[in-house]
Amino acid sequence: MSETAARREIPVTEQAPRRRIKEMEVMVAEVKVETPDTVTLVLFTGNDRLDYRAGHFLTIDPHQFEALDRFVAYFEDVKGKKEPARAYSMSSAPHERYLAITVKEERYVRGQTKYPPLLSPMLVKRTTRGMRLVITGFTGPYVLPEDVESRTDHLVHVVAGSGAVPNFAILKDALVRHPALRHTFVCSNKGWQDIIFRDELSALEERHPAQLRVVHTLTRDPVTPVSQGVWKGRVSAATLRDLIPDPKGALVYACGPAIGPFERAVAREKGEEPKPRFLESVLQALREAGVPDAHVTRESYG
């Protein structure tokens, strides 16, 4: 995944609403391993009242880390511009008594990424309890409208990989603040071991059986656990028709990898159209399933 895209490295979103952005120093209180390449960093801020909404992100400037100095200098020489801060969605919800981000270690993929990832490998592999960071937050347009209960009674989350992060926060927040909403949480991953928040989602489903249905779709795992909530294959129009009985009445929040600028440039040089990734495929499947585009809120990375 490219570092020119969403939260796990830089977000690709619509224009964010104007908010007061604040810089603060935090301490890492806990490093929780979610999957082999993903951790949740629980951050102590010293402030019990943090002004953010579920789905918001914060940013971290790589210049603050001495261990990255030589890499930052190299990238700035090659790119001819200053390295920007990287953005990461909060996995915590505002009512919870902690602030947390969940970070997936990005990798260099030939033909998809122009440069190796800079910050996420360090945050995932070298961040320790007690470490201090400077963060800037909080903002982002990927949030529920305050009047969501007047718009729908069914919120559908369609996510892949670390795209689950903002939706997990939105889900936890909505279960508390919007109890009339039903949720279908569709989570696509390569294999069972790649699912972020797997246990937490299962626990939420057990506690809120009338409000939440979780469905995992696995694209590569040869051994699927026998479960009503685990499906094989990619998210398709047929999948969504089964899960969204009233497509014109539901609101959908979709987040996952999308075609990035570098992929578009490579495809253009070859005279080809870039191959759709998760988000492009899901948006097309939603249209085929009858969900109006105006009912879909999206956030991408890639």
Side-chain angles (χ1 to χ4, degrees):
M1 179 192 307
S2 168
E3 288 197 330
T4 59
R7 90 205 92 264
R8 270 67 31 174
E9 304 268 49
I10 292 283
V12 177
T13 60
E14 299 174 5
Q15 181 64 42
R18 289 183 177 271
R19 292 184 61 82
R20 183 179 178 183
I21 305 299
K22 181 179 180 181
E23 184 178 279
M24 66 187 82
E25 185 179 69
V26 301
M27 184 184 73
V28 178
E30 182 183 355
V31 179
K32 179 183 177 184
V33 177
E34 300 285 355
T35 73
D37 62 359
T38 305
V39 300
T40 291
L41 304 180
V42 180
L43 307 175
F44 175 72
T45 66
N47 185 350
D48 290 335
R49 298 192 177 188
L50 295 171
D51 181 21
Y52 74 95
R53 294 175 64 186
H56 275 167
F57 62 83
L58 58 79
T59 61
I60 301 176
D61 191 334
H63 293 84
Q64 68 185 283
F65 302 105
E66 185 177 352
L68 296 180
D69 281 352
R70 63 191 185 280
F71 300 110
V72 170
Y74 172 75
F75 282 136
E76 290 181 342
D77 283 347
V78 170
K79 298 176 185 179
K81 61 181 180 180
K82 183 179 179 181
E83 278 296 303
R86 270 54 173 175
Y88 300 91
S89 287
M90 270 85 77
S91 50
S92 55
H95 68 274
E96 295 178 309
R97 298 185 64 182
Y98 62 90
L99 181 71
I101 59 173
T102 300
V103 184
K104 182 179 176 70
E105 181 183 6
E106 305 307 337
R107 303 183 186 280
Y108 176 79
V109 181
R110 182 171 294 180
Q112 290 185 7
T113 49
K114 189 171 184 179
Y115 302 105
L118 175 63
L119 185 53
S120 68
M122 193 198 77
L123 292 177
V124 172
K125 299 297 187 184
R126 298 181 63 183
T127 301
T128 58
R129 185 176 180 180
M131 184 173 172
R132 293 187 177 275
L133 311 171
V134 176
I135 65 171
T136 303
F138 309 96
T139 191
Y142 194 70
V143 297
L144 294 183
E146 290 295 341
D147 62 345
V148 63
E149 289 186 37
S150 69
R151 301 189 187 195
T152 188
D153 66 351
H154 187 198
L155 194 66
V156 181
H157 308 258
V158 187
V159 302
S162 55
V165 177
N167 286 65
F168 182 58
I170 290 169
L171 171 64
K172 292 187 291 182
D173 180 62
L175 287 171
V176 171
R177 294 202 306 121
H178 303 291
L181 286 181
R182 294 179 296 108
H183 298 262
T184 302
F185 202 100
V186 186
C187 196
S188 177
N189 285 279
K190 294 178 182 177
W192 189 243
Q193 75 284 352
D194 300 312
I195 301 172
I196 304 172
F197 313 128
R198 187 180 70 201
D199 293 339
E200 292 93 334
L201 286 169
S202 178
L204 285 173
E205 189 176 30
E206 288 183 10
R207 288 203 300 270
H208 303 276
Q211 292 170 280
L212 174 60
R213 179 184 182 186
V214 178
V215 174
H216 297 291
T217 65
L218 304 182
T219 60
R220 298 187 187 178
D221 201 335
V223 180
T224 301
V226 177
S227 168
Q228 196 173 23
V230 181
W231 298 12
K232 290 286 287 184
R234 300 182 183 279
V235 177
S236 65
T239 306
L240 296 171
R241 288 190 194 99
D242 284 344
L243 297 173
I244 311 175
D246 180 14
K248 290 184 169 55
L251 292 183
V252 178
Y253 275 64
C255 184
I259 301 168
F262 180 64
E263 289 171 275
R264 293 188 187 280
V266 170
R268 189 165 51 247
E269 289 178 3
K270 295 179 178 179
E272 303 171 350
E273 288 295 320
K275 184 179 179 180
R277 299 185 70 193
F278 172 82
L279 194 62
E280 290 82 16
S281 298
V282 162
L283 293 177
Q284 180 58 37
L286 286 166
R287 294 185 192 104
E288 293 175 13
V291 178
D293 284 348
H295 289 199
V296 181
T297 301
R298 69 207 67 178
E299 184 159 272
S300 63
Y301 59 86

